Amino acid sequence: MESLVKFVQDEFVTKKDFPEFSAGDTITVYYEIREGEKVRTQFFRGVVIQKRGSGASETFTIRKMSGIVGVERIIPVNMPALQKIEVNKKGSVRRARIYYFRGLTGKKARIKESMRR
Protein backbone atom coordinates (compact mmCIF):
# COMPACT_ATOMS: atom_id res chain seq x y z
CA MET A 1 0.00 0.00 0.00
CA GLU A 2 2.83 2.40 0.84
CA SER A 3 4.46 1.81 -2.53
CA LEU A 4 1.19 2.69 -4.26
CA VAL A 5 0.89 5.96 -2.30
CA LYS A 6 4.51 6.81 -3.06
CA PHE A 7 3.98 6.10 -6.76
CA VAL A 8 0.92 8.38 -6.91
CA GLN A 9 2.78 11.17 -5.09
CA ASP A 10 5.79 10.93 -7.40
CA GLU A 11 3.62 10.80 -10.49
CA PHE A 12 0.94 13.43 -9.86
CA VAL A 13 2.29 15.94 -7.33
CA THR A 14 4.16 18.73 -9.08
CA LYS A 15 7.59 19.29 -7.58
CA LYS A 16 8.86 22.86 -7.44
CA ASP A 17 12.57 23.59 -7.58
CA PHE A 18 13.61 25.34 -4.37
CA PRO A 19 17.15 25.83 -3.10
CA GLU A 20 18.56 23.47 -0.48
CA PHE A 21 18.24 24.70 3.09
CA SER A 22 18.37 23.14 6.52
CA ALA A 23 17.85 23.98 10.19
CA GLY A 24 19.62 27.16 11.24
CA ASP A 25 19.42 28.84 7.84
CA THR A 26 17.75 32.24 7.49
CA ILE A 27 15.34 32.16 4.56
CA THR A 28 12.70 34.34 2.96
CA VAL A 29 9.51 32.63 1.78
CA TYR A 30 7.28 34.39 -0.76
CA TYR A 31 3.65 33.23 -1.00
CA GLU A 32 0.36 34.47 -2.44
CA ILE A 33 -2.41 35.92 -0.28
CA ARG A 34 -5.94 36.07 -1.66
CA GLU A 35 -8.20 38.81 -0.32
CA GLY A 36 -11.49 38.55 -2.17
CA GLU A 37 -10.66 39.37 -5.80
CA LYS A 38 -7.17 40.69 -5.09
CA VAL A 39 -4.03 38.56 -5.06
CA ARG A 40 -0.84 39.89 -3.51
CA THR A 41 2.55 38.49 -2.60
CA GLN A 42 3.65 38.46 1.01
CA PHE A 43 6.98 37.32 2.43
CA PHE A 44 8.04 35.77 5.72
CA ARG A 45 11.71 35.94 6.70
CA GLY A 46 13.04 33.91 9.60
CA VAL A 47 15.21 31.06 10.84
CA VAL A 48 14.39 27.46 9.89
CA ILE A 49 13.64 25.54 13.09
CA GLN A 50 13.07 22.15 11.46
CA LYS A 51 12.37 20.23 8.26
CA ARG A 52 10.00 17.32 8.56
CA GLY A 53 8.56 14.62 6.30
CA SER A 54 9.37 13.66 2.75
CA GLY A 55 7.76 13.74 -0.65
CA ALA A 56 4.38 15.42 -0.89
CA SER A 57 3.98 15.79 2.88
CA GLU A 58 7.28 17.61 3.52
CA THR A 59 7.02 20.70 5.73
CA PHE A 60 9.37 23.16 7.37
CA THR A 61 8.97 25.53 10.31
CA ILE A 62 10.22 29.12 10.26
CA ARG A 63 10.53 31.37 13.30
CA LYS A 64 10.96 35.13 13.45
CA MET A 65 10.72 37.75 16.14
CA SER A 66 7.99 40.36 15.67
CA GLY A 67 8.80 42.91 18.34
CA ILE A 68 9.11 40.85 21.51
CA VAL A 69 6.77 38.11 20.33
CA GLY A 70 8.06 35.03 18.50
CA VAL A 71 6.05 34.04 15.42
CA GLU A 72 6.31 30.59 13.81
CA ARG A 73 4.84 29.31 10.57
CA ILE A 74 4.67 25.72 9.39
CA ILE A 75 4.84 25.74 5.60
CA PRO A 76 4.25 22.72 3.34
CA VAL A 77 6.78 22.50 0.52
CA ASN A 78 4.05 21.62 -1.99
CA MET A 79 1.72 24.47 -1.02
CA PRO A 80 0.26 25.88 -4.27
CA ALA A 81 0.50 29.48 -3.01
CA LEU A 82 4.25 29.15 -2.41
CA GLN A 83 6.11 31.17 -5.04
CA LYS A 84 9.79 31.15 -4.15
CA ILE A 85 12.29 30.62 -1.36
CA GLU A 86 15.49 32.63 -0.96
CA VAL A 87 18.31 31.49 1.32
CA ASN A 88 19.71 34.63 2.97
CA LYS A 89 22.23 33.08 5.40
CA LYS A 90 23.54 29.58 5.96
CA GLY A 91 23.60 28.85 9.67
CA SER A 92 25.97 26.53 11.49
CA VAL A 93 24.03 24.39 13.99
CA ARG A 94 24.67 20.89 15.29
CA ARG A 95 21.09 19.65 15.39
CA ALA A 96 18.42 18.93 12.79
CA ARG A 97 15.66 20.43 14.93
CA ILE A 98 16.64 23.48 16.94
CA TYR A 99 13.72 23.73 19.36
CA TYR A 100 16.07 25.20 21.98
CA PHE A 101 16.13 28.35 19.82
CA ARG A 102 12.63 29.22 21.08
CA GLY A 103 13.94 29.85 24.59
CA LEU A 104 16.82 32.13 23.56
CA THR A 105 16.58 35.92 23.54
CA GLY A 106 18.93 38.78 22.77
CA LYS A 107 22.51 38.04 21.74
CA LYS A 108 22.14 34.36 22.66
CA ALA A 109 19.60 33.98 19.86
CA ARG A 110 22.23 34.55 17.16
CA ILE A 111 23.27 31.71 14.90
CA LYS A 112 26.83 31.58 13.64
CA GLU A 113 27.05 31.82 9.86
CA SER A 114 28.73 28.87 8.20
CA MET A 115 31.19 29.02 5.34
CA ARG A 116 29.38 26.37 3.26
CA ARG A 117 27.84 27.94 0.18
Side-chain angles (χ1 to χ4, degrees), residues 36-75:
E37 297 291 316
K38 293 182 185 176
V39 177
R40 65 183 176 87
T41 301
Q42 185 171 338
F43 68 91
F44 192 89
R45 179 179 174 155
V47 177
V48 178
I49 298 292
Q50 71 170 348
K51 284 181 79 174
R52 168 178 284 179
S54 64
S57 62
E58 185 177 357
T59 62
F60 57 95
T61 305
I62 305 177
R63 179 181 177 83
K64 77 172 182 179
M65 292 302 291
S66 179
I68 59 169
V69 179
V71 179
E72 289 188 10
R73 275 194 72 122
I74 299 171
I75 301 174

Side-chain angles (χ1 to χ4, degrees), residues 18-23 25 27 48 50-51 60 77 85 87 90:
F18 293 125
E20 280 296 315
F21 60 91
S22 60
D25 295 351
I27 65 171
V48 178
Q50 71 170 348
K51 284 181 79 174
F60 57 95
V77 173
I85 298 174
V87 178
K90 289 281 193 182

